[in-house]
Amino acid sequence: MNTEEFPHQIGESNKKSFMLVCAFATLCAVAGCVETSSPTAPSTDQPSVGSSTDLSAFEGARAGQAEMGIQNLGYELIRTDGLTAFWFNRSTGACARIATADGRYSDVTMLPAADC
C-alpha cells in the first residue's frame, strides 16, 4: 500500500462520512419541525369587515348582503327613517346610522348610544 495515498483516502472517506452525517442531521431536523399554530380560518359567523363597536367599514357595501353581517356582529335594527336605518349593539352600546342609496350603504356613521 502506498503511504502517500493512504492519508488522502482517509480524508476523502471522512469527508463523505461527515457529509452523510450532516445530511442525515438536516433531514432529521426538518422532519421534526411541527407547525404549532393552526392556520387562521375565517369565522363562519363573523363578517370580514366591521366590528361590534364600529360599522364604518360597511360603507359602500350592498345593503341586502351586508345586513346579515351587521346582525352577526350583534347589532339589531332599532328604527328606520326612510332609507336611513339605526342599528344598536346592546352588548357594546354601539349605535350606527346607516343611509342607503342605490342599494348600497352610502353613509355609515357611528353615534352615541342615546341616539339609538
Side-chain angles (χ1 to χ4, degrees):
M1 183 183 274
N2 187 342
T3 57
E4 291 178 11
E5 291 180 19
F6 185 69
H8 177 68
Q9 289 176 346
I10 293 176
E12 286 299 316
S13 176
N14 282 342
K15 284 182 188 178
K16 287 180 183 177
S17 294
F18 179 74
M19 294 297 286
L20 286 173
V21 168
C22 287
F24 180 72
T26 301
L27 286 174
C28 288
V30 171
C33 291
V34 176
E35 186 173 333
T36 58
S37 63
S38 62
T40 305
S43 173
T44 57
D45 61 345
Q46 293 290 317
S48 59
V49 298
S51 73
S52 61
T53 58
D54 185 8
L55 296 180
S56 59
F58 280 93
E59 193 164 314
R62 291 180 186 229
Q65 294 173 350
E67 187 171 322
M68 184 62 72
I70 291 172
Q71 291 171 344
N72 286 342
L73 287 171
Y75 286 83
E76 59 183 283
L77 183 62
I78 298 300
R79 70 177 190 278
T80 59
D81 182 14
L83 293 176
T84 301
F86 291 82
W87 293 84
F88 185 65
N89 186 321
R90 291 186 193 277
S91 65
T92 64
C95 174
R97 179 183 64 216
I98 301 178
T100 303
D102 298 322
R104 294 190 177 269
Y105 292 153
S106 59
D107 181 54
V108 178
T109 306
M110 299 309 296
L111 303 171
D115 290 354
C116 275

